[in-house]
């Protein structure tokens, strides 16, 4: 865990065999980093979030994504026939993990790439732009959109437009599928201090050392917008009752306007603008998702904001 206050690192904790050189997987906090890159392209005029996915990735024109807007991807408001069931070894989520090489092939399965898997997903019974409904494949689609819009491989684009301007101290990396497509929904890995640097850039409205990386409008929209109604209609109110979700970042809905990135097994990047605090936290929680652990971590961050 790394804690920053007003731009300075004031606390570090490293578990045994983990040091400043160690890179850790973000899991779904990767989605939030991916969305920053989308925001950079949107600021360039290279990406229109109101266009449909098939405009950028025509291979998906027969899938659920054909008529979904990029904004629907960003806000997890797609109608998708897919269940995020982490512990089912034979369901669509397990197939998704195998397509992204997060798990080895299952006996009798025909190997498939991420694009092949994504193109097979069908639309759910409702229209897009409905309730908040978390589905990791949406963020891998966003990665494909980013590559097509920019004309660059995802890793190269991140290096040029985010990592180098950020002043990151260590290389990051991203896992890929058999075709080399980046796992932008969950495969990004980096050191905790570099993750904290991303949070500090977000706290400062997209600027590092006087250099703008992401537009102020994108960051302001991410912090202040997002549909409270869509969130309330979803399934996440149990652990974040006043929350909202915008551009792949969670909002607490509290007066501090704190917002955060979150990944399974306890990966966090928490930004509290009111307290001028950023916390990056890697974990190895034994189960992928625990609402009790989410509440406990949020209570810790809130307490730290009051202490420092």
């Amino acid at each position: 865990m790394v804690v920053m206050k007003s731009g300075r690192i004031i606390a570090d904790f490293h578990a045994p065999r983990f040091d400043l050189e160690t890179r850790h997987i973000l899991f779904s906090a990767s989605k939030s980093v991916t969305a920053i890159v989308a925001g950079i392209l949107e600021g360039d005029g290279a990406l229109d979030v109101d266009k449909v996915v098939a405009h950028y990735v025509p291979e998906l024109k027969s899938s659920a994504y054909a008529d979904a807007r990029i904004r629907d991807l960003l806000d997890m408001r797609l109608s998708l026939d897919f269940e995020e069931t982490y512990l089912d070894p034979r369901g669509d989520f397990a197939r998704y993990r195998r397509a992204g090489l997060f798990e080895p092939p299952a006996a009798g399965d025909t190997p498939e790439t991420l694009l092949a898997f994504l193109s097979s997903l069908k639309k759910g019974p409702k229209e897009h732009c409905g309730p908040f409904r978390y589905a990791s494949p949406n963020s891998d689609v966003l990665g494909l959109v980013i590559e097509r819009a920019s004309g660059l491989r995802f890793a190269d684009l991140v290096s040029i437009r985010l990592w180098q301007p950020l002043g990151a101290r260590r290389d990051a990396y991203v896992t890929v599928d058999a075709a080399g497509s980046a796992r932008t929904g969950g495969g990004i890995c980096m050191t905790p201090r570099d993750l904290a640097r991303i949070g500090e850039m977000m706290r400062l409205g997209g600027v590092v050392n006087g250099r703008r990386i992401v537009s102020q409008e994108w960051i302001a929209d991410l912090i202040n917008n997002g549909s409270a109604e869509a969130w309330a209609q979803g399934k996440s109110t149990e652990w974040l009752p006043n929350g909202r979700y915008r551009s792949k970042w969670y909002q607490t809905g509290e007066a501090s306007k704190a917002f955060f990135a979150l990944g399974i097994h306890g990966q966090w990047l928490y930004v509290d603008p009111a307290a001028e605090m950023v916390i990056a936290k890697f974990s190895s929680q034994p189960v992928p998702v625990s609402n009790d652990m989410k509440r406990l971590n949020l209570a810790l961050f809130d307490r730290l904001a009051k202490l420092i």
Side-chain angles (χ1 to χ4, degrees):
M1 184 168 72
V2 175
V3 182
M4 297 184 74
K5 171 73 174 181
S6 304
R8 294 176 54 248
I9 294 173
I10 62 167
D12 258 326
F13 168 80
H14 299 288
R17 298 177 297 280
F18 194 105
D19 59 31
L20 293 177
E21 305 291 326
T22 307
R23 287 161 294 190
H24 195 284
I25 192 165
L26 304 187
F27 285 121
S28 286
S30 302
K31 297 173 171 63
S32 306
V33 178
T34 299
I36 291 173
V37 181
I40 293 170
L41 293 182
E42 194 267 351
D44 291 347
L47 178 65
D48 184 345
V49 299
D50 289 319
K51 286 193 179 298
V52 296
V53 170
H55 173 81
Y56 294 99
V57 191
E59 295 95 322
L60 296 177
K61 64 183 179 182
S62 297
S63 74
Y65 296 103
D67 61 342
R69 299 175 307 146
I70 311 306
R71 173 51 63 195
D72 298 325
L73 291 179
L74 286 162
D75 294 350
M76 294 287 192
R77 296 182 65 185
L78 251 87
S79 178
L80 191 67
D81 185 13
F82 177 86
E83 292 296 330
E84 193 105 350
T85 48
Y86 296 100
L87 301 179
D88 180 358
R90 298 301 304 174
D92 277 345
F93 190 79
R95 182 181 153 220
Y96 163 62
R97 289 174 69 91
R98 292 193 295 272
L101 299 185
F102 261 35
E103 293 181 1
D109 274 4
T110 301
E112 60 184 338
T113 63
L114 267 175
L115 181 57
F117 170 79
L118 296 168
S119 65
S120 74
L121 293 178
K122 302 303 179 185
K123 193 172 181 177
K126 297 181 180 180
E127 292 303 311
H128 300 312
C129 201
F132 171 77
R133 191 170 183 274
Y134 191 91
S136 286
N138 298 342
S139 301
D140 293 290
V141 172
L142 181 62
L144 293 172
V145 168
I146 285 170
E147 289 193 335
R148 302 296 177 84
S150 67
L152 294 171
R153 296 289 299 276
F154 180 78
D156 295 331
L157 179 63
V158 173
S159 177
I160 296 166
R161 298 300 304 276
L162 176 60
W163 217 237
Q164 294 173 35
L166 184 70
R169 300 296 194 271
R170 298 290 182 270
D171 288 346
Y173 59 89
V174 60
T175 67
V176 297
D177 74 350
S181 295
R183 275 293 331 278
T184 52
I188 299 176
C189 309
M190 65 183 67
T191 67
R193 284 193 171 186
D194 281 338
L195 181 60
R197 288 182 178 96
I198 292 175
E200 179 65 7
M201 181 269 293
M202 296 295 286
R203 183 184 76 83
L204 296 176
V207 173
V208 172
N209 295 325
R211 180 176 180 178
R212 179 156 298 283
I213 296 177
V214 194
S215 73
Q216 187 172 9
E217 292 78 12
W218 182 271
I219 305 293
D221 177 77
L222 181 153
I223 295 172
N224 297 303
N225 292 329
S227 171
E229 180 183 2
W231 181 266
Q233 293 172 349
K235 298 179 180 180
S236 298
T237 52
E238 179 185 344
W239 64 274
L240 194 64
N242 300 317
R244 288 180 299 179
Y245 191 85
R246 186 70 165 176
S247 296
K248 301 200 179 297
W249 288 76
Y250 296 86
Q251 303 167 20
T252 62
E254 304 300 329
S256 65
K257 292 197 171 182
F259 58 101
F260 58 92
L262 174 64
I264 59 170
H265 298 286
Q267 322 318 317
W268 293 83
L269 178 56
Y270 186 89
V271 182
D272 185 328
E276 298 184 2
M277 181 186 77
V278 171
I279 297 175
K281 183 175 183 284
F282 290 137
S283 312
S284 297
Q285 293 169 200
V287 296
V289 176
S290 165
N291 287 344
D292 287 340
M293 288 300 295
K294 289 176 188 174
R295 285 189 288 260
L296 186 62
N297 276 279
L298 288 169
L300 168 66
F301 303 151
D302 184 61
R303 181 62 176 158
L304 284 171
K306 293 178 171 63
L307 285 173
I308 64 174

